[in-house]
Amino acid sequence: MDRNRKWVPGFGAVLLTLLSHMTSALEVPLDLPQPPTITLQSPKDYIFDPRENIVIHCEAKGKPHPSFSWTRNGTHFDEEKDPKVLMKPGSGTLVIDISGEKAEAYEGTYQCTAHNEHGTAVSNSIVIRQSRSPLWSKERNEAIVVQMGVSLVLQCRPPAGLPPPVIFWMDNNFQRLQLDKRVSQALNGDLYFSNVLPEDTRSDYICYARFPHTQTIQQKQPISVTVLDMDQSQPRSRCHAELSLSSFPPIEKFDLNGTAPAGGLRFGIQVCHKTEN
């Protein structure tokens, strides 16, 4: 180390000043031209409520601020020619008023384009579809009789709505059925019993389908389930009456010598049949 070298007062302050000016020179000016970038857009699969306006989002940033245009099913969509369609000022977001109109007329695949003199940005393809809640097909459910301890599946088979409905099971009193490790609901809405018990016997297993966008609830016809315990599942023979003919007068039956047996003929009949508890 050079012992003759000395620290110059104020040198540190000068060095910091120089570094500060160098850092400032590296900063990007805020007004630098920028191509558009999409900052907000609707989901690719957009299912709309037919009771509300359709709002298809498209926002973008850029320098200068970009202009916006749309295509529908691959061709240019001129929102200015449709009085029901409005594009928000300074934005590409479309608001479609479907009151009093056939909402399905606006279904299709939409795509937004943001453009300025420095470039173009394109949104995802957005598929617009109306929410639908089809009616449950009419069917007659046969009563189910099962033996205690067996597994059981009660099928729901809800109508294929758009979007798919929310499934749940209730009784006639609109009380939700209790689910646990033994009784569970599958993803398709079916009700699974790992092993049925006598307390599962009831006549009002009802599957409900709730369609979220239309706020409608439909129900399946009630399903009746009877669980037989071991005694009920096996028919038993029970003798319920005995008929004795010993009280009848002696039958006149003669042997080969022409004499009747002393005291007549005595016999009995026991009547049995199968019953179920």
Side-chain angles (χ1 to χ4, degrees), residues 86-138:
L86 171 68
M87 183 183 292
K88 290 185 176 181
S91 164
T93 297
L94 295 179
V95 180
I96 305 175
D97 180 9
I98 57 175
S99 59
E101 298 291 330
K102 292 184 177 180
E104 57 268 20
Y106 291 98
E107 292 182 319
T109 301
Y110 292 75
Q111 193 166 36
C112 172
T113 299
H115 176 77
N116 67 12
E117 59 191 68
H118 302 291
T120 300
V122 181
S123 72
N124 294 324
S125 294
I126 304 170
V127 179
I128 306 295
R129 294 182 293 171
Q130 177 184 347
S131 174
R132 292 178 173 85
S133 53
L135 296 177
W136 217 308
S137 58
K138 291 185 177 181

Side-chain angles (χ1 to χ4, degrees), residues 37-102:
T37 302
I38 301 293
T39 58
L40 177 65
Q41 57 186 317
S42 292
K44 294 180 180 180
D45 193 8
Y46 178 9
I47 301 172
F48 66 89
D49 186 336
R51 300 167 301 174
E52 300 177 356
N53 289 340
I54 303 172
V55 180
I56 314 176
H57 292 284
C58 180
E59 305 288 346
K61 66 179 181 178
K63 292 291 182 178
H65 190 72
S67 60
F68 297 88
S69 62
W70 285 87
T71 61
R72 178 174 179 268
N73 297 329
T75 60
H76 177 66
F77 179 68
D78 191 350
E79 75 283 351
E80 295 182 352
K81 292 185 178 180
D82 190 335
K84 291 288 186 178
V85 182
L86 171 68
M87 183 183 292
K88 290 185 176 181
S91 164
T93 297
L94 295 179
V95 180
I96 305 175
D97 180 9
I98 57 175
S99 59
E101 298 291 330
K102 292 184 177 180

Side-chain angles (χ1 to χ4, degrees), residues 233-248:
S233 60
Q234 296 295 331
R236 297 184 302 171
S237 295
R238 177 182 297 174
C239 299
H240 72 95
E242 181 176 337
L243 175 63
S244 176
L245 300 183
S246 59
S247 60
F248 281 64

Side-chain angles (χ1 to χ4, degrees), residues 152-158 165-169 179-180 182-193 207-208:
L152 177 65
V153 179
L154 300 184
Q155 293 184 331
C156 180
R157 291 187 296 223
V166 178
I167 304 300
F168 53 94
W169 290 77
L179 303 179
D180 50 35
R182 188 179 62 86
V183 183
S184 60
Q185 181 178 311
L187 294 177
N188 65 353
D190 291 350
L191 195 63
Y192 280 79
F193 296 79
C207 182
Y208 286 83

